[in-house]
Amino acid sequence: MCIRDRLFTACDSNQVYKKYESLKNNEWKRDHTIVFDVEIDDIKSNYDVYLALRHTTYYPYANLLVNVTSYDPNENMRTKDFEFYLRNADGEFKAEGAGDLWDIDFLLFEDISFPEKGVYTYHISNYMPYVSTPDIMEVGLIVMKTEVKDADND
């Protein structure tokens, strides 16, 4: 798990996209879909795609339910539901914290390829069973080139 660039930059060498959307009043309304447009120029590499969250100490739940729908440049759609745990079994946050702020990144798609150049669009929706989910400050998307593994060291 990489720490956001607000704290450290050690994980950013293969980063091709990183963007966050701040949420009004630190709440993510169920009807608010967050959209990210990712320009892909290198179709020879593989990529990891992460959901990035910043939440407060007062986030009341152990988990977060989201749906991610992606569209390729030809508008072909792929959708998947996720359940991410923000707290461990002891009830403590898994994220890196500073004061009342907590940052965590969750792997959405690992070692994927993009078959053609162009804009890939990601729609991220809150699937919690509430009208709004409090204490979510920002939702982001990070796309990183996958580390090339040395065949001699596998």
Side-chain angles (χ1 to χ4, degrees):
M1 176 176 1
C2 290
I3 313 290
R4 290 191 148 159
D5 66 348
R6 292 181 188 104
L7 300 175
F8 302 100
T9 58
C11 298
D12 289 346
S13 62
N14 291 323
Q15 177 184 300
V16 295
Y17 182 87
K18 180 187 267 190
K19 186 174 178 185
Y20 301 93
E21 181 173 318
S22 296
L23 300 175
K24 185 177 180 181
N25 298 322
N26 295 341
E27 77 180 341
W28 192 2
K29 295 189 182 292
R30 189 169 163 94
D31 64 353
H32 178 66
T33 298
I34 300 167
V35 179
F36 298 100
D37 292 321
V38 181
E39 179 77 37
I40 298 295
D41 294 322
D42 178 359
I43 59 174
K44 294 180 181 178
S45 296
N46 284 0
Y47 298 85
D48 294 333
V49 180
Y50 295 88
L51 173 71
L53 291 176
R54 173 171 273 187
H55 63 88
T56 73
T57 297
Y58 307 105
Y59 183 77
Y61 311 113
N63 65 338
L64 179 68
L65 303 171
V66 299
N67 172 270
V68 177
T69 302
S70 61
Y71 297 88
D72 69 16
N74 292 318
E75 297 296 318
N76 295 311
M77 181 185 78
R78 175 180 167 185
T79 189
K80 186 173 180 180
D81 294 335
F82 294 90
E83 180 174 16
F84 297 115
Y85 285 91
L86 281 69
R87 296 178 187 267
N88 62 26
D90 295 330
E92 306 222 352
F93 287 121
K94 293 180 175 183
E96 295 292 326
D100 287 341
L101 305 179
W102 298 85
D103 293 327
I104 190 166
D105 300 335
F106 295 103
L107 184 63
L108 295 171
F109 306 109
E110 183 175 22
D111 202 29
I112 64 169
S113 62
F114 294 105
E116 57 190 279
K117 293 180 181 183
V119 175
Y120 289 77
T121 302
Y122 290 86
H123 294 235
I124 302 176
S125 301
N126 175 357
Y127 262 35
M128 294 293 278
Y130 313 106
V131 173
S132 69
T133 303
D135 297 298
I136 300 288
M137 300 177 69
E138 294 179 342
V139 176
L141 191 77
I142 301 169
V143 179
M144 309 271 295
K145 284 188 181 180
T146 303
E147 291 289 332
V148 177
K149 295 178 182 165
D150 185 351
D152 296 333
N153 292 331
D154 287 345

